[in-house]
Amino acid sequence: AELTVQAAAAGCRVLVEKPMATTVEECDRMIAAAGERLYVGQQGRFFAQVSAARDELARLGAPLLYAERRSTDYAHPGRPAWFTDVRLAGGGIAMLVGVHSIDRACFLLGAPLEAVAGSVAVPAGWAVESDAAMTLSFAGAPSAHVMLVDSPRFFHETTIVCERGRLSIDASGLTVDGRRVLEVDGDREYTASF
């Protein structure tokens, strides 16, 4: 929080990683200091397939159902120690990738988030959650259902059913009504954003 406050006092725009801080008080302090010059790195909305999906949604009519499944590998032996340290990471899978899933749903549904309900699984001997499920409630949009899974196999799939069709986003592209409309290099798309 202190570096953000110092940068804001110097008149700089500030880009922070998530978690932007580990306490609500620190977040409030950062927001008070930087205001609209404070940005949290939510790079997922800039993926080509996500941007294209947002354009397609206008044609498909009102969203009726939103579901997302996403994984990360918590058991990977190469993970740094901070990864599972709640004090440094701010949490587990819900903090690591869940915030990006929430941002994706807000971006695609175009509605303000009103509430989040969910549950997490914290394995024996762990300090952070390895798996999570959540339901996001929006004003004027359907609820979004998100499942975050600890898995050595990577996947990131979002399906939105609309009044006049459906679309599916995955790590390598976008499918609309069963037709592949965009193909991207999934590894490049994800790693280029970091």
Side-chain angles (χ1 to χ4, degrees), residues 4-5 7-9 12-14 29-39:
T4 296
V5 171
C12 298
R13 293 180 182 190
V14 182
R29 192 166 152 236
M30 294 164 70
I31 292 166
E36 292 186 8
R37 293 176 292 134
L38 176 63
Y39 306 91

Side-chain angles (χ1 to χ4, degrees), residues 39-55 66 70 99-111 138 156 169 189-190 193:
Y39 306 91
V40 179
Q42 293 290 0
Q43 81 282 7
R45 62 176 55 193
F46 300 105
F47 294 163
Q49 64 271 42
V50 176
S51 295
R54 186 165 178 180
D55 294 340
Y66 184 107
R70 187 168 181 179
V99 295
H100 294 293
S101 295
I102 292 169
D103 183 67
R104 177 181 281 194
C106 292
F107 178 69
L108 291 172
L109 294 174
F138 295 91
H156 188 180
I169 306 165
E189 195 73 13
Y190 274 77
S193 68

Side-chain angles (χ1 to χ4, degrees), residues 43-126:
Q43 81 282 7
R45 62 176 55 193
F46 300 105
F47 294 163
Q49 64 271 42
V50 176
S51 295
R54 186 165 178 180
D55 294 340
E56 289 286 344
L57 284 170
R59 187 182 61 74
L60 295 175
L64 305 172
L65 178 74
Y66 184 107
E68 181 172 324
R69 286 181 352 113
R70 187 168 181 179
S71 70
T72 196
D73 186 3
Y74 266 84
H76 190 278
R79 291 281 190 212
W82 68 262
F83 207 75
T84 56
D85 182 333
V86 71
R87 186 180 52 79
L88 297 175
I93 196 167
M95 180 61 73
L96 180 71
V97 297
V99 295
H100 294 293
S101 295
I102 292 169
D103 183 67
R104 177 181 281 194
C106 292
F107 178 69
L108 291 172
L109 294 174
L113 182 63
E114 291 189 324
V116 178
S119 58
V120 298
V122 179
W126 285 48

